[in-house]
Amino acid sequence: MTTYFADVLAFEDLYLSNVNTPVQITLWRDRVVGELMNPHSPYSHVVRLTTATPERAHFLELWRSLLAKTVERLLGPCPQVVDPDRTAVLILAALHGGTTLSRVGNDPRGPINAALDLALAALNGDHNASGSEVP
Amino acid sequence: MATADSPDGRRLTARGAKTKSRIVAAAAKLMYMQGVAATTLDDVIAASGTSKSQLYHHFDGKDSLVRDVVELVGRQIMEREEGALGHVSTIGGLHRWRDALIQNNALQHGAYGCALGSLANDVADHDAVARRMLGELFSAWQHLLAEALRRLQSNGSIVSGADADQLATGLMAALQGGYLLAQAARDIGPMSAALDMALAHIESFTVE
């Protein structure tokens, strides 16, 4: 399992470090969803774990940190109404929870995509706090 | 007096039905705390205070017992969620729903996750029948969420153009993922953050 954790973190470090625009986060998202559709991918292995071990907790903390830094970069230097750390937690929750729903549903991609649509909405500028669409 | 059915179709006596319920309840508790794979039939026999012959009188094996556990847990969760979501028609109502879930999970420091989600992760790849049962239960749960969101749309709280079904799926995924992250961290924090962020997105559809 250590290998799977290391593989995912290596891929995420590589791909997320190149995400600087909403278009690039969409490409990252498409790639990760593709990985989760492959039962042999290290992403599938790590997201399907349910045991609570120090190793898994540490892995999730590192992944969250990579995602938080990416969110911070995407939001830029302006005053942030979006919390990068909490957004990173929501993205991780979307990947894990979306996968759980995919495993019991008839549409393998649907739940993960719905979850990521919600998690990434603030980064894609879908809605701001007042409910109006962000230009 | 005959009541429920045994595996061979014979009607159970009231006493037999009670024994079967005791076995299923014990199995549900063990599988929640230690997972389906780690729970043996011997564990269930010991925890339920029954015998091997009693267990095999009611169940062909572990798979049929797990399916009854799914049915029991599903019924319990749907009763709870119908009570919690059935009349929600305000953003405040959604927050109260969230508060109850967090408080309940905080009692065990997030250690065990969602009872239904845990079953889904444990058995979905191994038992097609249980997988289908779980799929129907999650659909029903998501339907409750979507109906609550539609009530918010009907009363003008959130915009009518928002896709209630998609939002419900996203919210359910955030909830289930939050449970898993809390379980991994042994800390309710990630579940609280995931739910709060998901609800904040739903609130972004509020009509001004």
Side-chain angles (χ1 to χ4, degrees):
Chain A
M1 192 50 61
T2 305
T3 307
Y4 293 134
F5 290 152
D7 285 347
V8 169
L9 286 174
F11 285 132
E12 288 296 281
D13 194 17
L14 174 66
Y15 288 108
L16 286 172
S17 63
N18 289 316
V19 170
N20 296 296
T21 66
V23 169
Q24 286 164 339
I25 195 77
T26 302
L27 292 174
W28 166 85
R29 169 227 177 106
D30 290 343
R31 190 190 63 79
V32 172
V33 172
E35 291 285 347
L36 291 173
M37 292 298 105
N38 175 4
H40 304 295
S41 158
Y43 284 80
S44 282
H45 284 285
V46 301
V47 163
R48 285 163 182 241
L49 290 172
T50 54
T51 51
T53 62
E55 195 186 18
R56 181 167 167 242
H58 184 58
F59 158 73
L60 288 169
E61 179 51 33
L62 290 176
W63 196 359
R64 185 205 59 75
S65 178
L66 288 172
L67 286 164
K69 285 177 193 160
T70 304
V71 171
E72 214 164 11
R73 213 163 47 242
L74 282 167
L75 293 172
C78 303
Q80 293 171 4
V81 295
V82 175
D83 183 321
D85 286 325
R86 288 162 70 86
T87 302
V89 170
L90 181 58
I91 295 170
L92 278 180
L95 292 173
H96 284 77
T99 298
T100 297
L101 298 179
S102 292
R103 290 169 83 182
V104 296
N106 296 322
D107 175 7
R109 284 180 185 260
I112 299 176
N113 278 326
L116 286 172
D117 281 346
L118 189 151
L120 298 172
L123 301 180
N124 290 329
D126 288 352
H127 276 87
N128 62 17
S130 67
S132 46
E133 207 159 317
V134 177
Chain B
M1 184 172 79
T3 52
D5 291 341
S6 65
D8 61 8
R10 285 179 296 148
R11 300 294 276 177
L12 293 176
T13 62
R15 191 172 166 185
K18 219 169 164 181
T19 301
K20 185 178 181 184
S21 291
R22 200 161 81 236
I23 292 170
V24 175
K29 192 171 177 182
L30 283 170
M31 289 175 186
Y32 181 50
M33 291 173 68
Q34 60 193 37
V36 173
T39 301
T40 65
L41 291 180
D42 284 339
D43 289 338
V44 176
I45 288 165
S48 60
T50 55
S51 66
K52 196 169 273 191
S53 63
Q54 281 177 306
L55 186 140
Y56 281 103
H57 177 73
H58 294 293
F59 302 99
D60 294 332
K62 192 172 175 182
D63 282 350
S64 66
L65 174 57
V66 170
R67 289 169 198 162
D68 271 38
V69 167
V70 169
E71 193 181 329
L72 172 67
V73 171
R75 193 166 60 241
Q76 289 171 340
I77 286 189
M78 288 310 297
E79 274 174 22
R80 183 194 74 198
E81 292 300 296
E82 278 160 10
L85 287 168
H87 298 289
V88 165
S89 59
T90 62
I91 296 287
L94 282 177
H95 278 280
R96 283 188 289 278
W97 166 78
R98 167 257 184 226
D99 290 346
L101 289 169
I102 297 290
Q103 279 163 18
N104 201 34
N105 204 20
L107 293 173
Q108 50 213 9
H109 307 291
Y112 302 123
C114 171
L116 206 61
S118 298
L119 285 168
N121 285 314
D122 283 352
V123 307
D125 293 342
H126 309 302
D127 182 348
V129 173
R131 180 183 174 277
R132 194 172 59 246
M133 292 168 72
L134 286 157
E136 287 168 5
L137 285 163
F138 272 106
S139 284
W141 194 353
Q142 278 172 224
H143 180 75
L144 287 175
L145 278 170
E147 286 300 297
L149 293 173
R150 276 190 267 273
R151 282 194 292 277
L152 266 73
Q153 286 176 313
S154 292
N155 66 29
S157 297
I158 61 176
V159 298
S160 58
D163 187 327
D165 290 311
Q166 283 287 94
L167 287 175
T169 302
L171 182 52
M172 178 62 75
L175 171 61
Q176 292 301 318
Y179 268 119
L180 287 167
L181 296 178
Q183 199 176 4
R186 284 281 198 264
D187 180 353
I188 201 71
M191 178 180 170
S192 183
L195 268 179
D196 286 347
M197 293 294 285
L199 287 175
H201 176 67
I202 288 172
E203 283 184 67
S204 75
F205 289 93
T206 301
V207 175
E208 289 189 16

